[in-house]
């Protein structure tokens, strides 16, 4: 058989695959080939409902979807093909007081994301969508730039534009298998011959998981059943044409005007069925599933409450088709950690809304090494190995589907696929009242319910019940001594004669420190953006111990491995499961630790920023004197089998000192007071260490020629054009991050982190400001539609000289 060579090979001819091909070619890339096993759109694209909404919980995801709208605005002129793009706006109804709060929160978040969104009255909502029953409505939110589109026509238009730019689209060509050599795809096998490519893009929708399995990649994407109905024509056809799209989350339904004066009505009910969990049947080309009106019936009844005219018009069609989903309900994008030249773009629940922007971002990711927007919330490296298993993925997808419109309070946890990764302290802490959350499959204590209080999370938009209990844990850390189970930290050992040189190339600080040194480091990209924020302990000349956040292990390890030499002189070994981590912290921590430790842990013998091997009870422990709460303390890295023993030993020794447990909600308020930053929120590849106030960690003289050095050197000499600032107010505001920060009524930033500092008695916000605003101290923050005065202050707010930390 023949073998074809190309630079970029895209697998999948839905809206996402066509958009990637188009953007690669539009950017000037040659040799782009797209393979589709049937015809374009005939997987899930053709039966998609076609709503184009832009607002999501992530700022950059929203920006990406805004790029879709910008592309759809220009595409007809570029191609000469009409595809029924209707920019009619979208309505979101608030049928209860809680939904009104939710809509107000989304509106202020949209403003901080630079997306126009307005709160309007029930009467104004009825003017926009006259068929709704406005009685009982508390209001609505309106986004004027949203709309709807015909998915198949859109995809054909994108494909046409791609062909004009030189893309080869081959339909009826099925990818059957791959050959992988030294971690790269070297051959893609099809019935018409083999392909070789520098980059292979997997954009095969619900088939991505099956194709990934052939590569040894567990793609955390699947499909579930989704139904919608198409009504018979309504009496006023012209009115229907002008309607915005409509979502009523309280009644779980959405609406889209359709051709001929009809309405498309769908929703997200309980108990949808997984699709393909036992394999996708046959070729499944342009197929639908049998309708299930018993399951759709309750949604139809709810829809009739919103729009009573449904009681007067018939149902023309019921569409039940599989739609893509992922293990956490969001897209799966980025370089697969397991295969060097495999780019993944799948799991697009709202692929029509994302199509244009996602294609643009993937094209940038391929050609520039990273997209121009940091897309961590969508990055495939946010997942662990368990996420792609059927046992986890399908129950979690079904749960996400049912909660698509259901009320979700800040901090609300999932219920399915729990108790997967358990610390050796799990049972002990559960008996102590731990209220657990889940992070990357790990069960982690959020807060502890005292005796007489049910260990159930207490959530609310305005006054969550858990606040007062987390405040007590916060005070215990500041005033006494506490134990925190941080076993979920991702942990690695880097070993080999090339280890130091590798880290010197990656880290913006000097890694050539004595054995026993603990180094807080940022790993930057070529643009100076922070790709990883972690601690590294030097154990020996060629031996380092790397610790990062629970959800960042796959990401950080992939970043490191992609920059390791290929000669075998460096090995990175996963150690997460090998060691439990117990953080003992607070001003009384040394007294408790010394009582059970055979070695001297005085400040002279064991200074801050160092690590030693010590013995606690009968257990060997790697003690690291560092922490994320801003108090005297040690991270105790314990062989897992000794974890419970070490905890019980410390707990018994600390009883006289009032020792208690603390959870992750307390950690967050403690670190806010101390000015400690969280990667993916306060810092990310979008921001440099200098901009984030971490310029002191950038060692230009001793750090060597590390990635991003030139950018950071320029910022240190000339100053950055923006910086992370701290804001406070004495008012106790219900902030969760993402809120709009304003100056003179103009949006100037968003809160990257926010919360209440129980020691200083103030609400704290972090947010980036441009240099033109650095001379101002007074600002406002918008919370649920209301504006409150905040003031900019120099941080950190607690122990700025690190006296307590280093005591």
């Amino acid at each position: 058989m023949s073998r074809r060579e190309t630079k970029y090979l895209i697998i999948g001819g839905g809206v996402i695959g066509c958009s990637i091909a188009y953007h690669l070619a539009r950017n000037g890339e040659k040799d782009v080939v797209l393979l589709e096993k049937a015809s374009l759109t005939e997987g899930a694209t053709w039966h998609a409902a076609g709503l184009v909404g832009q607002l999501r919980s992530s700022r950059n995801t929203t920006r990406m979807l805004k790029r879709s709208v910008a592309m759809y605005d220009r595409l007809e002129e570029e191609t000469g093909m009409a595809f029924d793009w209707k920019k009619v706006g979208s309505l979101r109804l608030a049928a209860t007081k809680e939904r009104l709060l939710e809509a107000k929160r989304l509106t202020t978040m949209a403003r901080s994301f630079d997306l126009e969104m307005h709160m309007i009255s029930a009467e104004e909502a009825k003017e926009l969508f006259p068929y709704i029953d406005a009685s009982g409505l508390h209001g609505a939110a309106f986004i004027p730039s949203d709309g709807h589109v015909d998915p198949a026509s859109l995809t054909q238009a994108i494909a046409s534009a791609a062909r004009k730019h030189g893309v080869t689209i081959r339909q009826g060509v099925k990818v059957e298998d791959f050959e992988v050599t030294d971690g790269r795809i070297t051959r893609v096998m099809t019935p018409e011959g083999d392909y070789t490519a520098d980059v292979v893009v997997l954009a095969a929708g619900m088939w991505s998981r099956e194709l990934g399995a052939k590569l040894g990649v567990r793609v955390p994407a699947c499909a579930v059943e989704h139904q919608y109905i198409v009504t018979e024509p309504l009496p006023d056809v012209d009115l229907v044409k002008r309607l915005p799209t409509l979502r009523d989350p309280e009644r779980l339904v959405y609406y889209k005007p359709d051709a001929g004066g009809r309405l498309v009505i769908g929703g997200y009910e309980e108990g949808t069925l997984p699709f393909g969990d036992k394999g996708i049947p046959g070729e499944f080309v342009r197929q639908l599933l049998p309708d299930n009106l018993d399951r759709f019936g309750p949604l139809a009844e709810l829809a009739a409450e919103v729009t009573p005219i449904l009681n007067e018009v018939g149902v023309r069609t019921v569409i039940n088709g599989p739609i893509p989903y992922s293990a956490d309900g969001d897209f799966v994008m980025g370089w697969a950690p397991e295969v060097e030249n495999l780019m993944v773009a799948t799991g697009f629940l709202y692929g029509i809304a994302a199509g244009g922007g996602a294609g643009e971002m993937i094209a940038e990711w391929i050609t520039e090494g990273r997209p121009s927007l940091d897309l961590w919330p969508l990055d495939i490296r946010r997942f662990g190995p368990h996420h792609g298993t059927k046992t986890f993925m399908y129950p979690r997808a079904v749960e996400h589907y049912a909660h698509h419109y259901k009320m979700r309070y800040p901090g609300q946890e999932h219920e399915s696929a729990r108790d997967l990764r358990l610390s050796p302290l799990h049972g002990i802490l559960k008996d102590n009242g731990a209220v657990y959350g889940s992070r990357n499959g790990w069960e982690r204590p959020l807060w502890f319910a005292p005796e007489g209080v049910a260990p159930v999370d207490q959530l609310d938009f305005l006054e969550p019940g858990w606040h007062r209990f987390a405040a007590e844990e916060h005070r215990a850390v500041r005033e006494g001594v506490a134990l925190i189970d941080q076993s979920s930290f991702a942990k690695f050992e880097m070993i080999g004669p090339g280890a130091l040189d590798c880290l010197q190339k990656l880290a913006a600080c000097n890694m050539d420190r004595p054995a026993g040194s603990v180094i807080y480091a940022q790993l930057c990209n070529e643009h100076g953006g922070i790709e990883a924020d972690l601690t590294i302990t030097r154990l020996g000349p060629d031996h380092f111990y790397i610790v990062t956040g629970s959800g960042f292990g796959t990401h950080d390890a992939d970043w490191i491995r992609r920059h390791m030499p290929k000669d075998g002189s460096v090995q990175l070994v996963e150690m997460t499961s090998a060691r439990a981590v117990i953080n003992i912290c607070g001003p009384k921590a040394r007294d408790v630790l010394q009582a059970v430790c055979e070695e001297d842990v005085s400040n002279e013998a064991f200074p801050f920023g160092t690590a030693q091997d010590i013995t606690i009870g009968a257990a060997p422990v790697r003690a690291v004197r560092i922490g994320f709460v801003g108090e005297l303390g040690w991270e105790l890295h314990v062989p897992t089998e000794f974890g419970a023993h070490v905890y019980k030993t410390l707990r018994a020794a600390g009883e006289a000192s009032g020792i208690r447990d603390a959870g992750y909600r307390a950690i967050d308020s403690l670190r806010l007071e101390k000015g400690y930053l969280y990667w993916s929120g306060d810092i990310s590849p979008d921001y440099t260490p200098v901009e984030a106030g971490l310029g002191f960690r950038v060692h230009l003289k001793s750090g060597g020629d590390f990635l991003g050095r030139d950018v950071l050197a320029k910022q240190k000499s000339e100053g950055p054009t923006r910086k992370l600032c701290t804001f406070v107010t004495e008012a106790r505001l219900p902030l969760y991050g993402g809120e709009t920060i304003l100056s003179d009524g103009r949006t100037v930033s968003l809160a990257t982190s926010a919360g209440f500092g129980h020691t200083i008695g103030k609400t704290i916000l972090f947010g980036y400001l441009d240099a033109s605003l650095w001379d101002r101290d007074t600002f406002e923050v918008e919370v649920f539609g209301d504006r409150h005065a905040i003031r900019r202050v120099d941080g950190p707010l607690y122990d700025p000289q690190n006296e307590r930390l280093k005591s």
Side-chain angles (χ1 to χ4, degrees):
M1 281 190 181
S2 62
R3 177 174 292 205
R4 296 172 171 84
E5 295 183 5
T6 188
K7 190 171 183 181
Y8 306 106
L9 184 68
I10 299 165
I11 304 171
V15 67
I16 302 297
C18 290
S19 180
I20 295 167
Y22 162 75
H23 280 99
L24 281 169
R26 187 171 186 261
N27 293 344
E29 296 298 318
K30 308 298 181 185
D31 297 326
V32 181
V33 175
L34 184 149
L35 302 181
E36 162 56 43
K37 76 182 187 74
S39 298
L40 299 183
T41 81
E42 293 193 346
T45 297
W46 72 275
H47 63 75
L51 279 72
V52 178
Q54 298 163 91
L55 180 62
R56 296 296 181 267
S57 60
S58 155
R59 182 188 196 187
N60 281 353
T61 304
T62 300
R63 286 171 164 176
M64 185 179 84
L65 299 185
K66 287 176 65 178
R67 295 192 184 196
S68 289
V69 168
M71 174 183 166
Y72 302 163
D73 284 345
R74 70 167 191 265
L75 190 61
E76 183 172 345
E77 183 177 344
E78 182 177 335
T79 63
M81 293 179 64
F83 49 90
D84 205 26
W85 165 228
K86 306 295 185 187
K87 199 172 182 178
V88 290
S90 69
L91 265 177
R92 185 183 185 92
L93 303 183
T96 66
K97 289 181 179 180
E98 288 287 279
R99 289 294 185 180
L100 186 64
L101 280 175
E102 179 187 52
K104 287 181 176 180
R105 179 169 181 248
L106 290 172
T107 300
T108 187
M109 186 182 295
R111 186 171 290 115
S112 75
F113 295 172
D114 195 29
L115 176 68
E116 184 182 355
M117 184 173 180
H118 309 288
M119 291 301 302
I120 61 176
S121 67
E123 292 73 22
E124 290 171 314
K126 187 169 179 62
E127 287 178 13
L128 288 168
F129 204 111
Y131 294 111
I132 64 172
D133 179 359
S135 62
L137 279 186
H138 290 258
F142 182 64
I143 299 177
S145 58
D146 282 351
H148 60 87
V149 68
D150 177 63
S153 299
L154 169 65
T155 305
Q156 294 291 354
I158 297 171
S160 173
R163 290 188 183 101
K164 287 183 178 180
H165 287 290
V167 172
T168 299
I169 296 177
R170 299 190 60 79
Q171 301 179 70
V173 180
K174 182 179 181 180
V175 171
E176 296 180 324
D177 210 345
F178 305 88
E179 182 180 89
V180 178
T181 306
D182 295 329
R184 290 182 62 86
I185 299 172
T186 50
R187 191 157 58 114
V188 179
M189 304 172 205
T190 78
E192 67 167 27
D194 297 342
Y195 284 81
T196 61
D198 294 344
V199 173
V200 177
V201 182
L202 186 57
M206 56 189 165
W207 287 273
S208 296
R209 185 171 61 88
E210 298 191 343
L211 287 169
K214 297 176 182 293
L215 290 160
V217 176
R218 199 167 254 167
V219 178
C222 57
V224 298
E225 290 190 14
H226 178 67
Q227 295 186 101
Y228 62 82
I229 61 172
V230 182
T231 70
E232 294 290 355
L234 275 64
D236 191 336
V237 173
D238 289 335
L239 172 60
V240 174
K241 288 180 181 178
R242 300 192 301 270
L243 293 177
T245 62
L246 175 71
R247 295 167 180 83
D248 185 346
E250 184 64 24
R251 284 167 281 210
L252 310 178
V253 292
Y254 65 78
Y255 295 69
K256 185 197 86 167
D258 202 31
R262 304 178 183 90
L263 286 176
V264 168
I265 304 170
Y268 296 87
E269 74 280 14
E270 293 272 3
T272 189
L273 297 178
F275 177 80
D277 51 330
K278 298 177 176 63
I280 297 173
E283 292 300 303
F284 206 82
V285 173
R286 203 172 180 82
Q287 286 178 248
L288 291 173
L289 302 166
D291 57 53
N292 188 330
L293 290 177
D294 287 341
R295 205 174 73 233
F296 193 81
L299 287 179
E301 292 177 12
L302 291 168
E305 293 177 12
V306 188
T307 49
I309 196 170
L310 293 184
N311 295 314
E312 304 170 22
V313 297
V315 174
R316 179 186 180 93
T317 312
V318 179
I319 303 292
N320 184 17
I323 59 170
Y325 235 93
S326 77
D328 67 357
D330 224 327
F331 310 155
V332 183
M333 300 169 64
W335 295 109
E338 303 91 339
V339 181
E340 186 178 342
N341 62 335
L342 177 65
M343 174 61 70
V344 179
T346 191
F348 284 85
L349 164 62
Y350 38 98
I352 306 307
E360 184 178 348
M361 292 297 98
I362 290 288
E364 290 181 357
W365 216 328
I366 291 169
T367 58
E368 304 297 327
R370 62 183 295 267
S372 54
L373 300 173
D374 170 46
L375 296 178
W376 168 246
L378 313 177
D379 195 312
I380 190 173
R381 294 170 296 178
R382 73 189 185 272
F383 295 112
H386 62 282
H387 284 104
T389 63
K390 293 181 181 180
T391 298
F392 182 96
M393 184 169 52
Y394 281 102
R396 185 60 63 88
V398 169
E399 181 187 5
H400 267 286
Y401 181 94
H403 283 81
H404 189 82
Y405 283 154
K406 282 187 179 179
M407 182 71 71
R408 288 200 74 85
Y409 294 98
Q412 189 165 337
E413 295 282 338
H414 299 103
E415 298 176 5
S416 62
R418 294 292 297 268
D419 288 346
L420 299 180
R421 306 177 78 179
L422 304 181
S423 151
L425 310 186
H426 179 265
I428 300 170
L429 298 183
K430 193 168 187 178
D431 290 342
N432 290 357
V435 176
Y436 277 100
S438 178
R439 181 71 166 167
N440 197 24
W442 283 96
E443 296 294 314
R444 310 192 311 179
L446 301 174
W447 57 279
F448 287 82
E451 192 171 345
V453 175
V456 177
D457 212 0
Q458 301 179 9
L459 300 171
D460 188 73
F461 280 122
L462 302 179
E463 295 184 8
W466 58 263
H467 266 178
R468 61 192 180 102
F469 304 116
E472 294 170 7
E473 297 166 25
H474 176 116
R475 283 188 282 272
V477 173
R478 289 281 185 253
E479 300 169 8
V481 58
L483 298 175
I484 306 175
D485 183 6
Q486 295 184 299
S487 300
S488 61
F489 277 158
K491 303 170 280 283
F492 303 87
E493 293 199 4
M494 181 182 276
I495 305 168
L500 176 60
D501 288 343
C502 180
L503 288 176
Q504 289 285 55
K505 178 72 174 176
L506 285 171
C509 56
N510 180 27
M511 297 303 305
D512 194 5
R513 304 281 299 282
S517 298
V518 182
I519 305 152
Y520 172 46
Q522 284 76 48
L523 312 187
C524 298
N525 56 40
E526 292 84 350
H527 307 286
I530 302 171
E531 290 287 346
D533 179 74
L534 34 74
T535 58
I536 303 174
T537 300
R538 192 170 192 181
L539 302 178
D542 304 323
H543 191 184
F544 296 85
Y545 183 56
I546 301 171
V547 180
T548 189
S550 309
F552 309 142
T554 302
H555 172 277
D556 292 2
D558 180 65
W559 179 259
I560 293 169
R561 286 193 175 105
R562 286 181 182 270
H563 293 87
M564 280 167 38
K566 307 299 183 186
D567 59 6
S569 62
V570 181
Q571 299 295 323
L572 189 68
V573 183
E574 170 91 36
M575 298 294 291
T576 301
S577 300
R579 291 184 179 272
V581 180
I582 302 169
N583 186 346
I584 182 169
C585 50
K588 299 179 182 179
R590 179 177 285 114
D591 296 338
V592 175
L593 181 60
Q594 190 64 81
V596 293
C597 177
E598 295 184 5
E599 293 76 19
D600 182 2
V601 295
S602 66
N603 202 39
E604 296 73 27
F606 201 148
F608 178 78
T610 64
Q612 296 181 26
D613 290 335
I614 63 174
T615 306
I616 298 177
V621 175
R622 178 178 295 157
V624 179
R625 196 172 159 199
I626 200 166
F628 200 47
V629 297
E631 292 290 342
L632 169 68
W634 286 261
E635 286 178 8
L636 305 173
H637 294 250
V638 186
T640 300
E641 67 272 23
F642 284 105
H645 167 69
V646 169
Y647 172 86
K648 290 176 182 177
T649 301
L650 291 167
R651 187 70 192 241
E655 287 299 332
S657 300
I659 197 168
R660 63 174 298 163
D661 299 304
Y664 274 78
R665 299 249 173 91
I667 290 176
D668 199 48
S669 63
L670 290 158
R671 67 99 184 171
L672 281 168
E673 288 186 334
K674 187 61 181 156
Y676 288 161
L677 308 181
Y678 186 68
W679 191 87
S680 78
D682 309 309
I683 51 179
S684 74
D686 282 347
Y687 304 108
T688 73
V690 178
E691 293 168 340
L694 298 171
F696 66 97
R697 298 303 310 154
V698 177
H699 301 158
L700 296 174
K701 291 183 179 179
S702 55
D705 187 22
F706 53 83
L707 287 173
R709 187 186 193 283
D710 292 345
V711 175
L712 299 179
K714 184 177 181 181
Q715 286 189 346
K716 290 195 83 170
S717 64
E718 300 178 5
T721 58
R722 61 182 177 179
K723 68 179 181 181
L724 186 64
C725 297
T726 302
F727 307 85
V728 296
T729 174
E730 279 68 25
R732 187 158 184 160
L733 302 178
L735 301 177
Y736 303 98
E739 292 83 6
T740 303
I741 297 173
L742 305 104
S743 177
D744 296 332
R746 179 174 62 92
T747 299
V748 295
S749 188
L750 81 162
T752 60
S753 284
F756 190 77
H758 302 288
T759 304
I760 66 167
K762 294 179 175 66
T763 298
I764 306 166
L765 301 83
F766 298 155
Y768 285 86
L769 287 180
D770 291 338
S772 61
L773 297 167
W774 293 352
D775 60 344
R776 300 189 183 188
D777 296 329
T778 57
F779 295 84
E780 289 182 306
V781 62
E782 186 170 303
V783 187
F784 294 108
D786 298 323
R787 294 182 182 181
H788 302 265
I790 56 175
R791 68 181 187 277
R792 186 175 65 84
V793 296
D794 293 330
L797 302 168
Y798 179 80
D799 189 25
Q801 303 303 317
N802 289 332
E803 293 172 359
R804 294 172 68 87
L805 194 66
K806 297 181 178 180
S807 63

